[in-house]
Amino acid sequence: MRAARLIKMVLLLQSRPSMTAAELASELEVSERTVTRDAQALSEAGVPVYADRGRAGGYRLIGGYRTRLTGLGRSEAEALFLSGVPGALREMGLEDAASAARLKVSAALMPSLRDASRTAAQRFLLDAPNWFKEPKTPELLPAVADAVWDDRRIVARYLRGESEAERELEPYGLVLKAGVWYLCARVTGHGSYRVYRIDRFTAVEAADDRFVRDEEFDLPDFWDERAEQFARSILRAEVVVRVSPGGVRRLPYTVDPQSARDALEAAGAPDGDGWVTLTLPVESEEVAHTQLASLGPEIEVLAPRSLRERFASDAIRLAELYRARAGGP
């Protein structure tokens, strides 16, 4: 443990012109007396740690004792620090490793670039979870993440509907989508890649052997393809609607954006009032009712008849509600 602390102390001193004993003690989570002893140990080991005496004094490295990461411009250095997503790293159990890595990079950068981590943090923040949703870290996420980084097979049990299934998987990658963690994995012996929600895993056991990763597998491409397939697969029904010009602008924000764009492109010319009639793929009549209701009077459902009657009933109830209260306080 002391060796790791001594290395961290050197990296801290490389990343800043000087640090007081109190600052080092706070960063290293030790006493100032321990900082003094560690500085002496480093000096005896040949690391040029120099102590400035007095109230404004502190510790610093002399003689240019540092390793520089050359060839990086400011924008490149700032982009490097954007690669860490604190919340996701913490949930995977990698926060300490990421912190150490950032410290090492900071220490290696040229002095003019050492504020890159601060400037990047003040300009970009990834807040992955959805609004009005309490994020919950899957209990088995750290175990799955360890297997992903180590290319180690796992035997996973997971909920599938009302029953539980077991698979031996080759875990290729993790995806955090709108606050939900997914595992992209290849089923051992089948060669097919599948996606699993990690919060549905009930047990994960790492195998002794590692798998040979397919170097042609590209996680971003795979996820984009599967996400599109999933979005298409759940759109099993269709509704026919008339949409006002204002509704046309809002439609891609109300239903699946690509489906809305495709339906608008396939629609005919607007009628005399500027309204467009189109056939829209939806997940179900129930979901369509919830989604399209947000457009209010900017949309008219033509088919199916049952959905049109549902909207007509809503309209009557709303009219009665507001009419009843029109003369009230």
Side-chain angles (χ1 to χ4, degrees), residues 95-150:
E95 186 177 29
D96 290 342
S99 176
R102 287 193 294 270
L103 183 59
K104 290 177 181 179
V105 173
S106 293
L109 288 171
M110 293 184 295
S112 61
L113 299 179
R114 287 206 189 112
D115 66 340
S117 61
R118 182 184 61 81
T119 57
Q122 293 303 316
R123 288 164 173 79
F124 178 81
L125 173 67
L126 175 62
D127 185 8
N130 273 332
W131 287 104
F132 315 119
K133 229 180 184 182
E134 187 67 28
K136 185 177 180 181
T137 304
E139 182 180 346
L140 296 173
L141 176 60
V144 176
D146 284 344
V148 169
W149 291 115
D150 204 26

Side-chain angles (χ1 to χ4, degrees), residues 25 48 73 101 107 120 132 151 169-170 194 213 238 272 278 286 304 317:
F132 315 119
D151 289 343
L169 304 173
E170 298 173 359
R194 299 180 184 177
R213 179 177 287 267
E238 288 184 343
L278 53 90
E286 184 71 31
R317 290 171 58 199

